[in-house]
């Protein structure tokens, strides 16, 4: 399956890493790798995340122990990454 990042999801990851990088450049690299590699796993296991209780038809992939959640939807041939949120963030 193809993984397709939305522009807001890519911007979310960039914003997260930029924020962390200000004080901890190496930690920012680890966070980026964890999120990117976790999302890449969806290619082989699209149902890896949980069904979203916040958005009907979407799934949530949690990156424990990190506080981030990727919101995604599985289509016939494409997995769409919609956003990446902090777990404490208020989102729909």
């Amino acid at each position: 399956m193809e993984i397709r990042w939305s522009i807001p999801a890519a911007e979310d990851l960039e914003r997260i890493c930029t924020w962390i990088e200000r004080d901890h450049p190496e930690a920012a690299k680890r966070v980026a790798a964890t999120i990117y590699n976790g999302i890449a796993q969806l290619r082989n296991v699209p149902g890896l995340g949980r069904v979203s209780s916040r958005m009907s038809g979407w799934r949530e992939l949690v990156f424990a122990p990190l506080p981030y959640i990727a919101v995604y939807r599985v289509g016939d041939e494409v997995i769409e990454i919609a956003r990446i949120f902090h777990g404490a963030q208020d989102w729909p």
Side-chain angles (χ1 to χ4, degrees):
M1 291 194 103
E2 177 187 353
I3 296 178
R4 190 174 299 155
W5 287 66
S6 70
I7 291 173
E11 290 172 344
D12 290 338
L13 183 57
E14 184 176 355
R15 188 172 27 261
I16 289 165
C17 293
T18 299
W19 177 259
I20 296 168
E21 187 177 42
R22 292 179 1 188
D23 297 320
H24 305 285
E26 288 304 314
K29 291 176 187 176
R30 287 192 305 271
V31 167
T34 298
I35 292 172
Y36 188 81
N37 293 335
I39 287 173
Q41 289 181 338
L42 295 174
R43 186 173 285 120
N44 297 320
V45 189
L48 187 61
R50 65 188 180 208
V51 174
S52 178
S53 60
R54 303 176 196 206
M55 297 174 62
S56 180
W58 293 84
R59 300 185 69 84
E60 300 172 6
L61 182 61
V62 179
F63 303 98
L66 299 177
Y68 301 107
I69 300 168
V71 179
Y72 71 99
R73 177 170 44 192
V74 179
D76 291 335
E77 296 181 21
V78 174
I79 297 169
E80 176 188 354
I81 309 301
R83 298 294 305 264
I84 300 173
F85 294 110
H86 189 283
Q89 195 172 345
D90 187 26
W91 54 280

